[in-house]
């Protein structure tokens, strides 16, 4: 028998430890702590200081060298930036003209025009040199220091010059000490030199061009050299460059290289990035992570953090071990603190450059849908944990959803939203707002089909899973209310003006008017059948069952639903203009409506034969969505009981999603490490989707292949309620994500 390969065994062991199976035979992710990265930013007044270097010591202090002198960080926490201010801690350091700072034996050490000194070791480190224009230094063994002014080099200890020299025909860019061999490496603009301390010998090891920065990496076996157009790996043992210059990078203009905690970090003129074990990169761009994108220095920070210094300030990237549930509770606090408006799940807007204290919650066309998705997540949370806080959250959002039906005068019609009167001009879509019969309130008309499908999803989940009798009966009444309105009005949603809303149309004359390859024909069929089945399941009123069967058997809605996603595309040339407009590209809002509607379509199917067909249709849709690695759609697919629903990708989505949900400017389209694809109907831009923490914040109705976000920088914050909490708590309820593990 062939002996098993150790790597294969390790892989299987990791899979075994991370996953188990539930009673349906589906994989279950064991929720163990993972490393969650986030940033604390510190800004400087660029008119007062020019930042050069950053360092930290064993006490957790962070110090920054500016042309104007030593600086340190003040205040600062996640989402609440601090500042960079002159460091007066050691007041007599002001007499010293510090030109460089480093962390040596985890203590701050300084280079001036005449000495290397420190306030540690009781101030006994004070070693003079004779390079008045010195700007670079590195510490070696037993307080030996290599010092350079860019041309000359000195090795000093206890104010003694142990060696002096120069780089032939080159300028020094950096100095690094190799501890395991007790030798220094010197980087020039076009060469790499080895300096042997024992032999006091300078030897050229590599020739090149446009070198900018370097560091010793991979347990002191390699040297990684940054250039203006990629990076080079030099193997110390062989004394040769390993492979060709690496240019498949987020950015090729490298400004800084530093290995921190075993990971190689690169600074550039467009953000920072770290090399992963799989050869790809974690890219940190924009003020989600950094104070500015032109990186000037990278250093190890306190508590295994990484300090990314830019011209505008410091970004401290921290890594905290947390479980998915701990991340969920962090997001629960975020929603309740800043995103509950009249019980709705809302966006915080009007923020002044990320300052959360300056924003206000805004009305939305889809207040009912975003709240339905948040409410669904809280329902699943309560079903799993029985947490009274979750139940109260459900109660408050149910109050808001229920009031959508009473704040307007149309029987059975849900408003899009409501707000206090007298402020219509300050709200979105002025022409859609109407005065309510209730004094002091206005309501928004033209409710769409995506609102209704969201309502039915949340109300049905509440009716099934919440054990509060009052809330359960109210949810069922609301299902009956809106569905009675639709059935009574010949499968239309009728607004205050007596006309159907633009999108609230499920009548065969409308649905089947679309060519078979136009998505709305399939979508509207799927949604209305699911809604009618849900109404029948909870009310047992035959009118709903009868109508569902009529639409499926007499009007082809089942055929519409079963049509493969591969058929969906642009309308033919002879189609009407509305059909062409509705099929100019893949509509990700349609995906949202499909999957939210699958809850009622599959779970409350009228019989097992239909249930099997629905499962086939859902899995077909999921196959089309797989490249997006969309956490919610993978978790929704799990409700069918299928064994394969990309649980790994769902967990990846949840883990990789940033905890900073502010809408910062994001750019990826310039990257050299991503493979672009030709323009296509699905609007997929890259061969492989980027992690959520590298792309714009967006709801599930956004294109996961969006690369950039321009416009206002830090002017709004999304709620985690629909974006993250829904897929997480649904995964917990469906039993494919476990409770936290020890």
């Amino acid at each position: 028998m062939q002996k098993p390969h150790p790597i294969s065994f390790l892989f299987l062991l990791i899979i075994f430890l991370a996953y188990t199976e539930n009673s349906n035979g589906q994989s279950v992710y064991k929720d163990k702590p993972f490393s969650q990265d986030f940033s604390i930013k510190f800004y400087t007044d660029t008119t007062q200081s020019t930042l050069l270097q950053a360092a930290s010591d064993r006490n957790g202090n962070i110090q920054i060298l500016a042309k104007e002198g030593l600086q340190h960080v003040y205040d600062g926490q996640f989402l609440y930036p601090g500042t960079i201010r002159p460091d007066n801690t050691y007041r007599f350091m002001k007499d010293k003209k510090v030109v460089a700072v480093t962390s040596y034996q985890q203590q701050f050490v300084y280079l001036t025009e005449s000495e290397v000194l420190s306030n540690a070791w009781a101030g006994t480190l004070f070693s003079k040199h004779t390079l008045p224009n010195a700007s670079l230094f590195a510490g070696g063994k037993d307080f030996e220091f290599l010092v350079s002014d860019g041309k000359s080099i000195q090795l000093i200890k206890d104010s003694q010059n142990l060696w002096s020299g120069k780089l032939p025909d080159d300028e020094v860019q950096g100095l690094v000490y190799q501890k395991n061999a007790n030798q220094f490496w010197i980087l020039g603009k076009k060469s790499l030199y080895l300096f042997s301390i024992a032999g006091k010998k300078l030897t050229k090891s590599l020739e090149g061009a446009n070198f900018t920065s370097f560091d010793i990496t991979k347990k002191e076996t390699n040297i990684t050299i940054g250039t203006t157009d990629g990076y080079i790996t030099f193997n110390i043992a062989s004394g040769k460059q390993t492979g060709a210059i690496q240019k498949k990078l987020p950015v090729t203009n490298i400004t800084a290289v530093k290995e921190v905690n075993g990971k190689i970090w690169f600074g550039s003129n467009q953000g920072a990035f770290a090399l992963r074990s799989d050869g790809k990169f974690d890219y940190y761009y924009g003020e989600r992570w950094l104070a500015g994108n032109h990186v000037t220095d990278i250093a190890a920070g306190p508590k295994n953090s990484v300090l990314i210094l830019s011209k505008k300030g410091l970004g401290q990237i921290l890594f905290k071990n947390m479980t998915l549930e701990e991340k969920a509770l962090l997001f629960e606090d975020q929603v309740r603190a800043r995103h509950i408006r009249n019980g709705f799940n809302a966006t915080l807007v009007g923020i002044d450059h990320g300052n959360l204290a300056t924003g206000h919650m805004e009305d939305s066309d889809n207040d009912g849908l975003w709240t339905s998705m948040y409410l669904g997540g809280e329902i699943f949370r309560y079903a799993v944990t029985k947490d009274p806080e979750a139940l109260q959250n459900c109660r408050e959002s149910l109050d808001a959803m229920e009031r959508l039906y009473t704040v307007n005068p149309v029987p059975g019609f849900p408003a899009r939203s409501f707000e206090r009167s007298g402020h219509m001009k300050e709200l979105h879509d002025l022409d859609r707002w109407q005065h309510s019969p209730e004094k002091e309130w206005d309501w928004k008309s033209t409710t769409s089909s995506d609102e209704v499908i969201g309502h039915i999803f949340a109300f049905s989940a509440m009716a099934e899973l919440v054990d509060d009798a009052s809330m359960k009966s109210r949810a069922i009444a609301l299902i009956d209310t809106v569905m009675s309105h639709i059935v009574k009005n010949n499968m239309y949603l009728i607004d205050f003006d007596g006309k159907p809303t633009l999108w609230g149309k499920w009548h065969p004359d409308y649905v089947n008017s679309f060519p078979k390859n136009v998505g709305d024909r399939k979508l509207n069929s799927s949604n209305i059948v699911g809604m009618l089945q849900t109404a029948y399941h909870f009310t047992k009123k035959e009118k709903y069952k009868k109508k569902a069967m009529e639409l499926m058997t007499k009007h082809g809605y089942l055929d519409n639903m079963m049509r493969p996603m591969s058929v969906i595309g642009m309308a033919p040339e002879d189609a009407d203009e509305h059909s062409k407009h509705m099929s100019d590209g893949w509509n990700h809002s349609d995906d949202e409506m499909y999957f939210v509607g699958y809850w009622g379509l599959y779970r409350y199917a009228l019989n097992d034969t239909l249930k099997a067909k629905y499962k086939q249709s859902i899995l077909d849709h999921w196959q089309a969505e797989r490249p997006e690695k969309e956490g919610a759609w993978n978790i929704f697919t799990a409700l069918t009981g299928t064994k394969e629903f990309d649980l790994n990708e769902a967990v990846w989505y949840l883990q990789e999603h940033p905890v900073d949900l502010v809408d910062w400017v994001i750019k990826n389209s310039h990257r050299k490490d991503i493979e672009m694809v030709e323009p296509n109907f699905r609007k997929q831009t890259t061969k492989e989707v980027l992690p959520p923490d590298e792309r714009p914040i967006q709801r599930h109705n956004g294109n996961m292949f969006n690369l950039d976000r321009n416009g206002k920088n830090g002017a709004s914050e999304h709620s985690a309620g629909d974006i993250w909490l829904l897929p997480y708590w649904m995964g917990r309820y469906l039993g494919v994500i476990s409770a936290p593990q020890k």
Side-chain angles (χ1 to χ4, degrees):
M1 181 180 291
Q2 185 178 3
K3 192 174 182 179
H5 195 285
I7 295 179
S8 299
F9 175 78
L10 178 61
F11 176 76
L12 293 173
L13 179 62
I14 292 171
I15 294 296
F16 173 78
L17 292 174
Y19 294 88
T20 183
E21 285 189 355
N22 62 17
S23 58
N24 294 327
Q26 294 175 303
S27 294
V28 179
Y29 171 71
K30 296 180 182 179
D31 187 15
K32 294 186 176 183
F34 65 96
S35 180
Q36 176 67 60
D37 50 355
F38 61 97
S39 173
I40 298 176
K41 299 183 290 290
F42 303 88
Y43 291 94
T44 189
D45 183 346
T46 55
T47 65
Q48 300 294 319
S49 60
T50 302
L51 307 182
L52 303 173
Q53 285 182 292
S56 67
D57 69 2
R58 63 180 296 271
N59 302 311
N61 296 313
I62 297 173
Q63 200 163 55
I64 296 169
L65 176 65
K67 282 185 177 180
E68 296 73 20
L70 293 174
Q71 315 267 310
H72 63 171
V73 298
Y74 172 72
D75 205 2
Q77 55 183 299
F78 174 59
L79 294 179
Y80 297 90
T83 57
I84 296 174
R85 299 183 180 182
D87 188 350
N88 300 315
T89 310
Y90 282 88
R91 53 182 172 166
F92 301 124
M93 285 294 292
K94 290 184 177 180
D95 297 335
K96 303 293 183 180
K97 185 180 178 182
V98 178
V99 294
V101 61
T102 191
S103 178
Y104 178 76
Q105 296 183 9
Q106 294 186 293
Q107 303 284 3
F108 291 128
V109 177
Y110 309 100
L111 175 68
T112 74
E113 74 279 4
S114 60
E115 66 256 339
V116 173
L117 73 156
S118 177
N119 296 308
W121 305 286
T124 56
L125 173 57
F126 188 86
S127 188
K128 291 188 176 182
H129 63 81
T130 58
L131 298 177
N133 295 316
S135 59
L136 301 165
F137 77 129
K141 184 179 179 181
D142 297 331
F143 296 93
E144 292 179 332
F145 289 89
L146 199 65
V147 181
S148 176
D149 60 3
K151 296 180 181 179
S152 299
I153 308 167
Q154 286 186 356
L155 179 67
I156 63 170
K157 182 178 180 179
D158 298 331
S159 298
Q160 294 183 15
N161 186 348
L162 305 180
W163 174 87
S164 295
K166 292 185 177 182
L167 292 190
D169 302 319
D170 208 348
E171 297 179 31
V172 179
Q173 298 293 294
L175 309 169
V176 176
Y177 176 66
Q178 184 185 348
K179 184 177 181 181
N180 64 359
N182 190 30
Q183 58 192 15
F184 285 95
W185 290 89
I186 303 167
L187 185 72
K189 288 185 175 181
K190 57 184 179 180
S191 58
L192 175 69
Y193 280 82
L194 169 64
F195 174 66
S196 169
I197 297 175
K200 302 296 187 294
K201 183 179 180 181
L202 188 64
T203 306
K204 181 184 287 189
S205 297
L206 180 71
E207 289 187 357
N210 302 315
F211 294 167
T212 60
S213 50
F214 79 136
D215 198 11
I216 296 176
T217 58
K218 296 294 181 182
K219 298 181 179 180
E220 300 191 308
T221 61
N222 289 341
I223 294 177
T224 302
I225 303 172
T227 78
T228 57
D229 191 23
Y231 75 85
I232 292 169
T233 300
F234 175 84
N235 182 263
I236 294 175
S238 68
K240 296 180 180 180
Q241 179 177 327
T242 303
I245 187 169
Q246 298 296 316
K247 296 186 179 183
K248 195 175 181 181
L249 315 174
V251 185
T252 58
N253 187 358
I254 308 299
T255 59
V257 178
K258 186 71 174 180
E259 184 176 78
V260 181
N261 301 321
K263 183 177 285 189
I264 305 173
W265 288 77
F266 300 88
S268 76
N269 59 345
Q270 295 189 80
F273 48 96
L275 179 63
R276 302 197 317 233
S277 58
D278 62 1
K280 298 179 181 179
F281 297 91
D282 291 323
Y283 186 39
Y284 297 84
Y285 177 97
E287 291 178 78
R288 177 184 294 164
W289 304 108
L290 312 175
N293 284 316
H294 194 116
V295 176
T296 56
D297 191 30
I298 299 177
K303 298 181 180 179
N304 298 319
S305 66
V306 180
L307 306 178
I308 312 291
L309 189 69
S310 71
K311 292 183 176 181
K312 294 183 178 180
L314 180 75
Q316 182 183 11
I317 312 297
L318 297 100
F319 302 87
K320 181 179 180 180
N321 284 338
M322 64 173 62
T323 62
L324 287 178
E325 184 176 82
E326 288 172 326
K327 188 170 183 176
L329 295 179
L330 184 153
F331 278 145
E332 293 283 355
D333 290 342
Q334 185 247 18
V335 175
R336 302 312 298 183
R338 298 188 293 276
H339 295 280
I340 298 299
R341 167 188 155 268
N342 296 332
F344 292 125
N345 176 40
T347 300
L348 190 71
V349 302
I351 301 174
D352 179 15
H353 195 239
N355 184 347
L356 298 174
T358 61
H360 64 271
M361 291 179 289
E362 71 171 351
D363 61 289
S364 164
D365 247 16
N366 289 322
D367 274 342
L369 176 58
W370 310 141
T371 306
S372 295
M373 298 174 78
Y374 166 64
L375 177 54
E378 292 303 288
I379 291 166
F380 295 134
R381 176 187 173 194
Y382 177 71
V384 169
T385 66
K386 299 301 179 184
D387 187 337
E389 287 292 325
L391 183 63
Q392 181 60 24
N393 294 343
C394 292
R395 184 175 290 113
E396 293 178 14
S397 287
L398 177 62
D399 288 344
M401 298 290 290
E402 188 175 51
R403 195 172 181 214
L404 290 172
Y405 292 82
T406 61
V407 74
N408 76 82
V410 185
F413 182 85
R416 280 188 181 270
S417 185
F418 56 80
E419 190 50 271
R420 295 189 181 277
S421 61
H423 300 280
M424 284 189 183
K425 292 182 179 180
E426 302 167 57
L427 303 175
H428 290 290
D429 310 312
L430 173 61
D431 58 323
R432 297 183 180 183
W433 284 88
Q434 313 295 327
H435 295 302
S436 172
E438 298 181 22
K439 191 177 180 181
E440 301 293 328
W441 292 92
D442 294 326
W443 65 280
K444 194 172 187 178
S445 61
T446 70
T447 305
S448 67
S449 53
D450 48 2
E451 292 286 289
V452 178
I453 193 64
H455 290 210
I456 297 299
F457 160 67
F459 297 154
S460 64
M462 178 170 286
E464 180 182 354
L465 304 177
V466 174
D467 55 9
D468 180 287
S470 173
M471 295 171 69
K472 186 185 295 283
S473 63
R474 288 164 63 192
I476 294 173
L478 288 168
I479 294 172
D480 194 24
T481 296
V482 67
M483 293 311 297
S484 287
H485 172 98
I486 292 170
V487 172
K488 177 183 177 182
N489 289 292
N490 204 18
M491 310 311 295
Y492 291 107
L493 193 63
I494 303 300
D495 213 334
F496 73 99
D497 57 3
K499 299 177 182 179
T501 64
L502 180 60
W503 306 114
K505 302 172 182 177
W506 300 274
H507 190 279
D509 288 350
Y510 176 78
V511 173
N512 289 332
S513 67
F514 291 105
K516 291 182 179 180
N517 70 328
V518 173
D520 284 64
R521 181 164 178 157
K522 177 180 172 74
L523 171 65
N524 286 30
S525 298
S526 177
N527 277 182
I528 192 60
V529 170
M531 292 191 293
L532 289 166
Q533 287 183 159
T534 301
Y536 174 72
H537 179 85
F538 288 103
T539 69
K540 300 306 178 186
K541 293 183 178 180
E542 286 294 327
K543 64 179 180 180
Y544 298 128
K545 180 180 181 180
K546 180 180 178 182
K547 180 57 68 173
M549 293 303 297
E550 174 190 324
L551 293 175
M552 284 191 285
T553 59
K554 293 185 178 181
H555 298 286
Y557 279 32
L558 183 58
D559 291 337
N560 291 342
M561 295 159 58
M562 297 305 297
R563 192 163 293 115
M565 278 292 172
S566 59
V567 173
I568 305 302
M570 298 184 68
E573 286 296 324
D574 59 352
D576 62 273
E577 291 304 314
H578 182 57
S579 295
K580 290 179 180 178
H581 173 70
M582 296 295 290
S583 61
D584 59 350
W586 195 264
N587 190 323
H588 296 277
S589 287
D590 288 357
D591 291 329
E592 188 168 58
M593 294 171 65
Y594 273 117
F595 279 97
V596 168
Y598 288 155
W599 177 265
L601 182 71
Y602 181 80
R603 201 168 182 89
Y604 311 127
L606 296 176
N607 56 57
D608 290 343
T609 300
L610 286 172
K611 196 168 193 176
K613 287 183 175 294
Y614 299 156
K615 180 176 181 178
Q616 178 185 341
S617 179
I618 293 169
L619 294 182
D620 172 73
H621 187 184
W622 168 74
Q623 285 286 351
E625 296 300 317
R626 294 181 75 179
E628 295 190 16
K629 298 184 180 181
E630 223 288 356
W633 306 161
N634 289 331
I635 296 296
F636 265 100
T637 301
L639 74 87
T640 66
T642 181
K643 290 187 177 181
E644 180 54 62
F645 54 93
D646 286 349
L647 177 59
N648 289 348
E649 283 70 17
V651 171
W652 173 83
Y653 172 92
L654 294 171
Q655 290 183 344
E656 291 289 328
H657 207 284
V659 287
D660 181 347
L661 302 187
V662 173
D663 285 316
W664 299 108
V665 166
I666 297 292
K667 291 185 179 179
N668 289 289
S669 55
H670 61 275
R671 292 173 63 167
K672 303 296 190 295
D673 63 327
I674 56 178
E675 187 175 342
M676 307 295 287
V677 298
E678 292 297 322
N680 53 81
F681 179 74
R682 287 193 62 86
K683 301 178 182 178
Q684 181 173 337
T685 56
T686 57
K687 186 176 181 180
E688 185 176 356
V689 70
L690 292 174
D693 62 354
E694 296 182 15
R695 61 191 190 222
I697 300 296
Q698 57 191 24
R699 292 186 165 99
H700 300 293
N701 66 336
N703 181 0
M704 298 300 151
F705 286 93
N706 283 334
L707 296 178
D708 300 339
R709 182 191 181 277
N710 298 303
K712 295 180 179 179
N713 190 32
S716 56
E717 183 193 47
H718 275 291
S719 166
D722 50 298
I723 293 174
W724 199 94
L725 292 175
L726 171 61
Y728 169 72
W729 287 116
M730 188 176 187
R732 285 287 302 274
Y733 171 73
L734 293 176
V736 297
I737 298 175
S738 79
Q741 304 288 294
K742 291 184 179 180

